């Protein structure tokens, strides 16, 4: 736009100045012709003075009294020899000695710039169309490969997620069967815990892929029961680190929420609490109904969080040693923003963190 616009501006400016110069030159030529005719006229030959559709002129004596005019008298300013007034250009010149007694010749011409404005308009419109058409083709040629790459990537992730689900299920079933045969061992327990971590990551990535295309409908959920079940899911993982859950879950709390989205909030918060807790520590999980608002809190006594804002951004991890992709809390934040859930984070680096989620659409029911 700049490369085309700047030269065009100076070109059009030059064209306008050229147009003005041409108009003034034509006016000066007419004045010279008129002055010659006035010099040759006799006093009684005023009727021989030429008339023009383009120019008006007036002859004044030395005292600036009007001798002759091609139109109705109009007030002329003799302060300047050239000036604009009401869309007309006026030029005043001295007359040579003549029989009419004229001393000043005033010639006026309407300064109509319609022609140059039309030209400027056509050039500007042509350039604008050229720029936009060029941008369209540049954009189209640029975006098409990106769209194709995005389509292939999306297809790859969908296929990859589909292919991963089956082996994860097979591993889970076989580990459980192996545990029944030979009993609980550290090796089997570690494998099961690792599998649960993989399932959490799998569910996060699946949600990221689908959340813009799938409508997650809400349903009435027993929040108390659902939370208890999710804690049981992570119980073995916590035991491996020597972490115990201290629960304060109020019974009979129901909520109108999508089950998948609620699971992402619960799972990511609890798994992070376990991950960043010290060994042989504890994690407090509370769920209560306070003034018709459901408050879900998870508190750990681990390493804490340095940056309370960055922790909710995608791919941001405070401790890369702990693993993960840095997407869990960004998913939680997106779900909470979407459903009007308020998040409160109370943390002190080195002393642990407490995540509180305040749900406003509670259902007061009895289990």
């Amino acid at each position: 736009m700049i490369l085309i616009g700047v030269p065009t501006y100076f070109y059009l400016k030059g064209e306008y100045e050229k147009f003005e110069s041409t108009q003034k030159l034509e006016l000066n030529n007419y004045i010279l012709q008129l002055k010659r005719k006035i010099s040759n006229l006799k006093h009684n030959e005023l009727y021989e003075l030429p008339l023009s559709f383009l120019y008006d002129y007036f002859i004044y004596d030395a005292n600036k009294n009007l001798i002759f005019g091609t139109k109705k008298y109009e007030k002329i300013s003799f302060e300047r020899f050239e000036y604009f007034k009401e869309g007309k250009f006026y030029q005043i010149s001295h007359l040579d000695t003549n029989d009419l007694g004229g001393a000043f010749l005033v010639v006026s011409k309407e300064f109509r710039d319609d022609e140059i404005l039309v030209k400027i308009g056509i050039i500007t419109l042509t350039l604008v169309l050229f720029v936009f058409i060029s941008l369209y083709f540049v954009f189209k040629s640029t975006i098409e490969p990106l769209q194709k790459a995005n389509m292939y990537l999306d297809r790859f992730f969908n296929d990859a997620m589909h292919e991963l689900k089956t082996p994860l299920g097979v591993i889970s079933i076989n580990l459980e069967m192996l545990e029944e045969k030979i009993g609980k061992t550290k090796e089997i327990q570690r494998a099961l815990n690792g599998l649960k971590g993989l399932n959490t990551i799998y569910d996060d990535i699946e949600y990221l892929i689908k959340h813009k295309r799938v409508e997650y409908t809400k349903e009435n959920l027993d929040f108390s029961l659902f939370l208890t079940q999710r804690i049981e899911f992570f119980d073995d993982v916590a035991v491996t680190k020597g972490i115990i859950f201290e629960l304060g879950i109020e019974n009979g709390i129901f909520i109108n929420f999508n089950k998948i989205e609620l699971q992402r909030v619960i799972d990511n918060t609890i798994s992070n609490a376990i991950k960043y807790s010290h060994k042989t520590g504890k994690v407090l999980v509370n769920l209560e109904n306070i003034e018709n608002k459901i408050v879900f809190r998870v508190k750990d006594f681990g390493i804490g969080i340095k940056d309370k804002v960055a922790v909710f951004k995608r791919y941001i991890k405070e401790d890369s040693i702990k693993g993960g992709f840095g997407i869990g809390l960004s998913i939680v934040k997106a779900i909470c923003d979407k459903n009007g859930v308020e998040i409160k984070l109370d943390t002190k680096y080195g002393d642990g963190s407490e995540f509180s989620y305040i749900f406003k659409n509670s259902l007061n029911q009895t289990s």
Side-chain angles (χ1 to χ4, degrees), residues 104-348:
F104 298 99
L105 174 65
V106 180
V107 181
S108 68
K109 181 181 186 298
E110 283 191 21
F111 190 80
R112 298 180 63 85
D113 54 1
D114 298 352
E115 181 183 341
I116 189 66
L117 288 176
V118 169
K119 185 176 182 180
I120 289 172
I122 292 172
I123 292 173
T124 303
L125 182 61
T126 303
L127 286 172
V128 168
L129 287 173
F130 171 75
V131 169
F132 275 101
I133 291 171
S134 301
L135 286 174
Y136 169 76
F137 283 109
V138 169
F139 178 77
K140 187 178 179 182
S141 62
T142 304
I143 204 69
E144 279 185 354
L146 293 176
Q147 287 177 331
K148 287 182 180 178
N150 190 52
M151 182 181 69
Y152 292 142
L153 191 62
D154 190 47
R155 186 182 299 168
F156 167 76
F157 276 118
N158 282 327
D159 292 343
M161 296 302 290
H162 178 73
E163 293 298 325
L164 282 172
K165 196 169 186 66
T166 301
L168 284 175
V170 171
I171 294 170
S172 177
I173 292 170
N174 281 275
L175 281 174
E176 289 172 1
M177 290 172 63
L178 189 62
E179 188 179 43
E180 289 179 2
K181 286 182 179 181
I182 64 175
K184 287 189 176 182
T185 65
K186 288 183 179 180
E187 291 77 8
I188 293 176
Q189 194 61 47
R190 287 172 185 166
L192 284 169
N193 291 340
L195 187 62
K196 288 180 179 179
L198 281 175
N199 279 322
T200 302
I201 295 171
Y202 176 91
D203 290 339
D204 281 340
I205 296 174
E206 185 180 43
Y207 180 81
L208 274 179
I209 293 171
K210 292 182 177 180
H211 78 282
K212 289 185 178 179
R213 300 195 305 263
V214 176
E215 184 179 353
Y216 289 92
T217 56
K218 296 180 180 181
E219 57 183 301
N220 294 339
L221 296 172
D222 187 336
F223 200 161
S224 306
L225 177 60
F226 188 63
L227 177 57
T228 303
Q229 291 171 345
R230 297 318 300 164
I231 292 171
E232 289 174 357
F233 176 81
F234 287 103
D235 194 48
D236 290 338
V237 181
V239 169
T240 304
K241 286 188 68 174
I243 295 170
I244 60 170
F245 287 115
E246 289 189 6
L247 308 180
I249 300 175
E250 185 179 322
N251 291 324
I253 294 181
F254 285 77
I255 189 171
N256 186 250
F257 216 85
N258 178 264
K259 189 174 184 178
I260 294 173
E261 292 184 328
L262 185 60
Q263 182 176 326
R264 301 279 28 88
V265 173
I266 294 171
D267 286 10
N268 278 297
T269 307
I270 292 177
S271 64
N272 280 340
I274 296 170
K275 186 186 298 181
Y276 294 102
S277 289
H278 301 300
K279 288 186 177 181
T280 67
K282 61 181 177 180
V283 173
L284 310 183
V285 181
N286 290 278
L287 179 67
E288 51 191 335
N289 198 329
I290 304 174
E291 297 179 355
N292 202 34
K293 291 181 181 179
I294 297 175
V295 181
F296 165 49
R297 289 197 301 269
V298 177
K299 180 176 177 61
D300 66 73
F301 299 88
I303 61 176
I305 296 171
K306 291 179 183 177
D307 192 335
K308 293 168 65 174
V309 176
V311 75
F312 289 103
K313 295 180 180 178
R314 190 172 295 180
Y315 310 124
I316 298 295
K317 297 187 296 178
E318 292 239 336
D319 189 350
S320 59
I321 298 174
K322 299 291 184 180
F325 296 101
I327 60 175
L329 287 179
S330 70
I331 291 174
V332 170
K333 180 73 165 56
I335 291 171
C336 290
D337 289 345
K338 172 186 171 183
N339 293 280
V341 179
E342 182 183 355
I343 304 175
K344 289 184 179 179
L345 172 57
D346 184 18
T347 183
K348 184 177 180 182

